[in-house]
Amino acid sequence: MPRIRVLSLVNQFPHLFSPLQIGGVTLRNRVFSAGHDTTLPTDGLVNDALVEYQRARAAGGAGLVIVQVAGVHESARYTSHILMVTGDDCIVGYGRLADACHAHGTAVFGQLFHPGREIMESQDGSAPVAYSASAVPTERFHVTPCPLSRRLIGEIVDGYGSGAARLRAAGLDGVEIVASHGYLPAQFLNPRVNLRDDEYGGSDGNRLRFLREVVGSVRAAVGREFVVGLRISADELSHDGLRPDEVTAACSALDETGGLDYVNVTAGSSATLAGSVHIVPPMTVENAYTVPFAAAVKRVVSVPVLVGGRINQPQEAERALASGQADACGMTRALICDPDLPSKAQAGRLDEIRACVACNQACIGHFHMGYPISCIQHPETGRELRHGRRTATSRPRKVLVVGGGPGGLKAAAVAAERGHQVTLHEATSRVGGQVHLAQLLPGRSEFGGIIGNLAGEAERAGARIVTGAPVDLGVVKREGADAVVLATGARPRRLPFETEGSPQVLDAWQLLNGTDPPEGTIVVADWRCDWIGLGVAELLARRGRRVHLCVNGYMPGQRLQQYVRDSWLATVHRLGIDVIPLVRLGGVDEDTVYLQHTTSGETVVLEGIDGVVLAQGHESVTSLASELDALDDVEVHAIGDCVSPRTVEEAVLEGLEVAAAL
Ligand SMILES: Cc1cc2nc3c(=O)[nH]c(=O)nc-3n(C[C@H](O)[C@H](O)[C@H](O)COP(=O)(O)O)c2cc1C
Ligand code: SF4
């Protein structure tokens, strides 16, 4: 019996786990981590943190790691922490990274990058000059670039070549020219962005000239054996972005000339809010939606075609490859979330895969805020230097975790993995905490996957989970715990506001738990400016209510990652939800809501209102913490919302930190 099981598992992903030849390099399998800026480097150079980050992906079985964008010219600094390949000082760090990955059989390519006009950040607070093919402004960052002179074009083209030579000297296996997402090579290609009347503008051939020169410069610098690839958005999905026919024509022309060993297909553009959503598509975007784009490119080129975009499970990747639409699958966030995904998939341990839920919180969310990337489900990511390896405890103890939300589950998993005897008590009938409600918001059902992932980790680690088991002082004493981790969470907060008569007022939790909202016109009073206000407003609008979404901030979703917020704002617009920014709730009577403008202090009155739904944040549940003050001989730690109401990310991180130190 076991033998038959093993054989069937081995055959589960025959395409994914077959080797792929790209130029002179053979990948051991077809799972790759696409280039992604980690914000780990300091001073523009590969450091220990980035080496350990990529080592973890290699050790987990990825066939290929493509290292994040690296600037090829001084004018390419699009953030204050971008890697640079403009000097020989980059070689040592890249070399260490390549050695770390090669030791696990993983190939390493490096991205060569110039953002053109897509400058996100300044180096010192003053706006740098951004360069592009022409002075066509970018809508997202409101940058009006300076047209590149021929001299600067020459310098940048040379920069691609010398950068590639340095990466070869460092021992990498290849380079990838980033022409995707509306960056500089795409700006030259795009007839709506490139308005030049010299040899770099006008006809298709002229607009392709810059990219041809870049490929030529790179190839001349690295020779024939070293891999040279191209990343391109097959559709920039923007009103003035590159269109599929323009992209396939460019790929076909480049392929005919030779010089490229692969094309890596993605979608979207940095230049517009709608297009940038596709740089890191949130959970509302369909899984593997870019695969047909790859198929279109594959039809016109002779080299392998790679693809990425919402491929978060090996089954998705296998389907894409088996259909012949692509030759390898980028599973970038999938590997941010679970670096061991390839080895688990290959070994048939599918239940153990921690699937990325495309929440965008700690990966691209951190990047946009200028912090090292991580994962809300796996805070070890980006913290490999500190949490890369679990250390067994030298002093196994009885640990009682109180509360089965994400933070409690993570604490239980890590403490049990380290050898403690762990019992988790959850007061309700199921673990998961607020995630159960969060997954009921429209378009957020995938978020619920977090519960199974974390509960599975805790169970596999040997933690005993007891549900329907509230904890008081007596239980703590009976359990004889040496240490207690309090993860008792939070409940809805009711900010004080005046009421008169008996207006229909619900909180978001009541609505999500099934209480019927009143018919007619509803005010959603959104203090947190996050998922809850937006989600509740959408839900009500879809149920036929007229909705005023009144936010105590600049806009709904102000505190959300940009791509998540912007796709949701599109829905808000489509559903005709009325948004009122910068207001706090003041009072409610039978049919009127009184708001106060937060900067002018003036009253805003909404009449003809049939009900109010509150999304006013949460307050910590702290009763047990106060009771435990009476115990001197028990070590007590509190994590997550019961300390201060925040999000899953902080709860899980604190669960890790506390349990790693027990
Ligand atoms: C934090 C982060 C940074 C990124 N930075 C880059 C980058 O440096 N270069 C690039 O080509 N794409 C970048 N991307 C896009 C990814 O390569 C990939 O296309 C995207 O994550 C979608 O694929 P996925 O659904 O498999 O995660 C980034 C993505 C993330 C999450
Ligand atoms: S933070 Fe969210 S989107 Fe990012 S890798 Fe983790 S689960 Fe995926």
Side-chain angles (χ1 to χ4, degrees):
M1 276 303 281
R3 198 174 135 77
I4 292 168
R5 182 174 143 79
V6 168
L7 283 177
S8 75
L9 293 175
V10 166
N11 285 332
Q12 213 160 352
F13 304 108
H15 297 85
L16 199 55
F17 293 104
S18 65
L20 175 66
Q21 188 73 31
I22 300 185
V25 171
T26 307
L27 307 186
R28 63 172 150 167
N29 62 46
R30 293 163 186 244
V31 182
F32 73 96
S33 167
H36 57 285
D37 207 325
T38 57
T39 328
L40 290 168
T42 45
D43 302 329
L45 298 174
V46 173
N47 57 3
D48 289 349
L50 186 56
V51 171
E52 292 313 309
Y53 175 88
Q54 296 295 11
R55 192 199 303 276
R57 271 83 212 150
L64 166 69
V65 154
I66 304 180
V67 183
Q68 65 197 70
V69 291
V72 296
H73 186 265
E74 273 309 306
S75 57
R77 292 182 184 272
Y78 82 136
T79 64
S80 53
H81 44 78
I82 182 178
L83 273 187
M84 297 297 282
V85 287
T86 45
D88 289 349
D89 55 350
C90 73
I91 294 174
V92 175
Y94 270 105
R96 289 179 39 238
L97 191 156
D99 289 347
C101 294
H102 288 158
H104 294 281
T106 301
V108 182
F109 301 165
Q111 285 193 320
L112 299 173
F113 178 70
H114 197 299
R117 62 182 182 161
E118 295 306 316
I119 298 287
M120 293 177 69
E121 265 178 24
S122 163
Q123 306 303 303
D124 65 356
S126 70
V129 174
Y131 292 94
S132 183
S134 304
V136 176
T138 166
E139 188 179 90
R140 179 163 162 230
F141 299 125
H142 301 276
V143 165
T144 302
C146 171
L148 281 163
S149 64
R150 283 203 184 83
R151 183 186 59 76
L152 263 181
I153 290 176
E155 271 184 27
I156 292 170
V157 167
D158 289 349
Y160 279 95
S162 52
R166 292 186 180 104
L167 295 186
R168 195 182 71 151
L172 270 67
D173 306 284
V175 288
E176 180 174 275
I177 298 160
V178 180
S180 55
H181 301 130
Y183 296 125
L184 185 60
Q187 290 160 33
F188 271 95
L189 274 179
N190 187 334
R192 292 159 293 283
V193 176
N194 178 351
L195 308 180
R196 298 176 76 97
D197 54 12
D198 62 4
E199 69 273 29
Y200 290 98
S203 67
D204 292 352
N206 278 0
R207 282 183 284 104
L208 190 57
R209 187 179 307 278
F210 176 77
L211 193 44
R212 273 194 199 287
E213 288 182 1
V214 167
V215 175
S217 165
V218 169
R219 186 51 85 192
V222 296
R224 194 46 256 179
E225 283 309 300
F226 194 69
V227 170
V228 179
L230 178 77
R231 190 167 211 206
I232 197 154
S233 294
D235 187 339
E236 289 189 351
L237 298 166
S238 300
H239 67 286
D240 60 354
L242 277 170
R243 297 168 187 158
D245 55 326
E246 293 165 338
V247 176
T248 44
C251 289
S252 163
L254 287 172
D255 189 59
E256 268 174 36
T257 316
L260 287 179
D261 294 310
Y262 74 89
V263 180
N264 182 5
V265 171
T266 179
S269 166
S270 167
T272 62
L273 294 183
S276 61
V277 163
H278 298 277
I279 300 178
V280 189
M283 67 180 81
T284 41
V285 176
E286 203 189 332
N287 284 105
Y289 73 113
T290 48
V291 172
F293 291 138
V297 172
K298 201 164 158 53
R299 280 194 285 276
V300 300
V301 299
S302 58
V303 292
V305 171
L306 283 51
V307 71
R310 282 282 279 137
I311 302 175
N312 70 338
Q313 288 276 23
Q315 295 88 338
E316 290 284 355
E318 179 66 20
R319 258 195 298 279
L321 300 177
S323 68
Q325 293 173 283
D327 299 296
C329 286
M331 302 184 73
T332 308
R333 282 170 295 171
L335 293 166
I336 292 175
C337 184
D338 192 346
D340 297 323
L341 179 148
S343 49
K344 288 177 183 171
Q346 195 164 17
R349 290 157 45 211
L350 302 186
D351 289 350
E352 295 180 30
I353 291 175
R354 185 188 308 109
C356 162
V357 296
C359 67
N360 279 7
Q361 258 178 272
C363 48
I364 190 70
H366 278 204
F367 166 72
H368 279 173
M369 292 188 287
Y371 300 118
I373 68 163
S374 188
C375 173
I376 64 164
Q377 301 190 68
H378 187 60
E380 290 88 339
T381 286
R383 299 182 174 93
E384 284 79 10
L385 287 174
R386 195 150 45 113
H387 290 295
R389 214 164 287 153
R390 209 74 87 214
T391 48
T393 177
S394 56
R395 194 167 58 118
R397 291 188 292 164
K398 278 186 99 171
V399 176
L400 173 64
V401 179
V402 187
L409 290 169
K410 182 70 180 180
V414 174
E417 278 173 31
R418 295 190 55 235
H420 293 296
Q421 189 188 328
V422 180
T423 305
L424 182 152
H425 278 237
E426 163 57 38
T428 69
S429 59
R430 56 188 185 174
V431 295
Q434 287 181 51
V435 176
H436 286 288
L437 290 176
Q439 68 179 344
L440 297 176
L441 294 170
R444 301 285 296 174
S445 59
E446 202 167 337
F447 198 69
I450 288 175
I451 303 171
N453 291 341
L454 287 166
E457 274 171 52
E459 280 160 10
R460 281 191 300 279
R464 191 169 70 93
I465 296 179
V466 194
T467 53
V471 174
D472 56 18
L473 202 53
V475 174
V476 175
K477 286 181 181 162
R478 266 201 308 283
E479 284 283 330
D482 302 304
V484 176
V485 178
L486 289 176
T488 46
R491 59 180 155 245
R493 179 176 72 141
R494 275 233 172 174
L495 286 177
F497 61 90
E498 291 175 21
T499 54
E500 204 176 294
S502 44
Q504 297 274 317
V505 180
L506 296 177
D507 67 48
W509 286 30
Q510 289 171 305
L511 183 78
L512 293 171
N513 277 323
T515 306
D516 260 347
E519 296 294 334
T521 302
I522 311 280
V523 163
V524 176
D526 176 8
W527 174 81
R528 273 184 39 144
C529 305
D530 65 3
W531 311 269
I532 302 176
L534 272 166
V536 162
E538 178 180 347
L539 202 140
L540 290 166
R542 290 197 186 281
R543 291 190 196 163
R545 308 306 191 272
R546 182 159 177 254
V547 181
H548 298 288
L549 175 52
C550 301
V551 290
N552 193 332
Y554 300 108
M555 61 188 151
Q558 181 185 320
R559 296 173 62 234
L560 300 184
Q561 192 276 326
Q562 186 213 312
Y563 309 149
V564 175
R565 179 187 62 237
D566 292 349
S567 2
W568 223 331
L569 290 180
T571 304
V572 164
H573 178 75
R574 283 188 197 110
L575 291 173
I577 293 170
D578 172 42
V579 173
I580 305 178
L582 295 175
V583 284
R584 68 174 70 91
L585 185 59
V588 184
D589 66 20
E590 294 290 349
D591 65 355
T592 307
V593 171
Y594 302 89
L595 305 154
Q596 186 180 37
H597 193 269
T598 56
T599 60
S600 72
E602 286 171 10
T603 304
V604 178
V605 179
L606 296 176
E607 292 174 328
I609 303 301
D610 300 290
V612 176
V613 177
L614 303 173
Q616 298 283 293
H618 302 114
E619 60 186 24
S620 301
V621 174
T622 55
S623 46
L624 185 60
S626 325
E627 283 186 55
L628 291 184
D629 280 347
L631 295 180
D632 291 334
D633 52 343
V634 180
E635 189 181 307
V636 179
H637 303 271
I639 59 170
D641 277 10
C642 75
V643 183
S644 162
R646 286 155 295 158
T647 74
V648 167
E649 177 183 351
E650 293 78 20
V652 174
L653 172 61
E654 288 165 14
L656 166 66
E657 298 279 10
V658 158
L662 277 174

